[in-house]
Amino acid sequence: MLSSRAILRVARASAPQRVAAPRVLAASQIRSYAAPAAASPDSKPPIALYGLDGTYATALYTAAVKNSTLDSTAKAIAALNDVYHKDAKLATIMQAPTLSAEDKSAIVTELQKHTGAAGDKGDTVKNFLDTLAFYNRLGLLKGVCEKFGELMSAAKGEVELTVTSAAQLDSKILSRLETAVSKSQYVGSGKKLKVTNKVNPDILGGLVVEIGDRTIDLSVSARIAKMNKLLTDTL
C-alpha cells in the first residue's frame, strides 16, 4: 500500500542519484492540462469547477473522454483519493518544496503502482501525473482527486449530499435524511443522491447539510455564534 512512509522512502533513495530529470510530456500535451482548450460537445464536463485543482480536474476529465479512458481514469483517481483518506500525512509530503526532479519521478512511479498502471489506456493518468510533477503541482493532487469525483458524480446524474455531524451517524439516520432530501426541491427529477457523512467535533452538535452548492447549517456551533452576535449587538 502506498503511504507517506513509502513516499519518503523513495524520495530518500533517489536523493543521492544524479540522473536526468524525469521524462515529461511534450509541450503541447503539458499545455493541454495546464490551460485546457475548449472542449468539444462530446467531452465537455458536466459541471463547471473553480480553483487550480478544478482546472486540472476538468482538463483530466476532458482528456480521458477524448482518449476513451474515462472509466479506467475514474478508478485510478478514486484509488488515489482513498490513499489520501487513509494517510493524512501524504498531502503534506506532496506539498514539500524540497522535492527534486528525481524525487518527483520516483513518487509518480509509486503512485502508478497504486492506481494500476496496466489498466491506464493511453497513459492518461501517467501523463497527468507527469504534468503535475513537471509544474511542481503534485500538492494539488488531493484536491484534483476530490473534484474529479464531483465531475464523475455529475456525469452519472448524482447530487452530492454531505452531512457533517459531531459524531458518526448510523445508517438508519442517514437513510432517513436521504429519503427526506430526495423529495425536496434541491434534488432535480431523475437525479440520484450520493450521501457522505463527515465528522467534525467542532460543530458541537446538530448537522450541517450540503446539497450540491447549497448549505443548510443546523449545527449547535452556528446557533451559539448567532446568539453571541445578538448579545454583542444588544450590549
Side-chain angles (χ1 to χ4, degrees):
M1 172 182 160
L2 181 66
S3 66
S4 56
R5 289 184 179 180
I7 293 294
L8 281 173
R9 186 165 58 251
V10 296
R12 287 168 181 165
S14 65
Q17 302 171 1
R18 307 308 301 172
V19 298
R23 184 183 65 81
V24 294
L25 307 180
S28 59
Q29 291 175 295
I30 292 172
R31 286 195 295 269
S32 71
Y33 283 117
S40 65
D42 292 338
S43 61
K44 184 178 180 180
I47 56 174
L49 296 177
Y50 302 96
L52 195 53
D53 51 1
T55 298
Y56 275 96
T58 299
L60 177 59
Y61 180 93
T62 301
V65 172
K66 288 181 176 179
N67 294 335
S68 300
T69 59
L70 186 58
D71 288 342
S72 61
T73 298
K75 290 178 182 178
I77 295 301
L80 289 177
N81 198 33
D82 287 342
V83 172
Y84 277 106
H85 283 295
K86 293 174 182 176
D87 192 339
K89 295 179 181 179
L90 184 58
T92 301
I93 292 173
M94 297 286 270
Q95 293 172 349
T98 55
L99 292 176
S100 67
E102 292 84 1
D103 294 337
K104 288 179 282 189
S105 178
I107 288 172
V108 168
T109 299
E110 286 295 315
L111 291 173
Q112 279 188 279
K113 291 178 183 178
H114 197 77
T115 59
D120 183 17
K121 299 177 182 178
D123 287 340
T124 303
V125 177
K126 178 184 183 302
N127 289 346
F128 179 71
L129 293 173
D130 281 340
T131 300
L132 290 182
F134 181 85
Y135 277 110
N136 296 318
R137 298 259 168 81
L138 283 173
L140 291 175
L141 184 57
K142 182 175 185 294
V144 171
C145 290
E146 293 172 350
K147 293 198 173 181
F148 191 87
E150 292 179 24
L151 286 172
M152 291 304 300
S153 292
K156 295 175 183 177
E158 297 175 340
V159 176
E160 296 274 351
L161 170 61
T162 303
V163 182
T164 302
S165 52
Q168 189 74 35
L169 298 176
D170 63 43
S171 57
K172 290 183 179 179
I173 294 178
L174 285 174
S175 180
R176 283 160 52 189
L177 281 170
E178 181 178 0
T179 300
V181 173
S182 64
K183 297 177 181 178
S184 72
Q185 60 180 334
Y186 300 112
V187 181
S189 176
K191 299 290 185 179
K192 298 177 291 183
L193 280 178
K194 182 180 179 181
V195 184
T196 303
N197 181 202
K198 292 184 178 180
V199 176
N200 181 7
D202 292 341
I203 71 171
L204 302 179
L207 301 171
V208 178
V209 181
E210 299 172 74
I211 312 167
D213 57 356
R214 301 176 178 86
T215 300
I216 304 171
D217 193 342
L218 304 174
S219 65
V220 172
S221 60
R223 295 176 188 174
I224 292 174
K226 290 179 181 178
M227 188 180 298
N228 286 339
K229 186 177 186 305
L230 285 173
L231 289 171
T232 302
D233 292 345
T234 302
L235 297 176

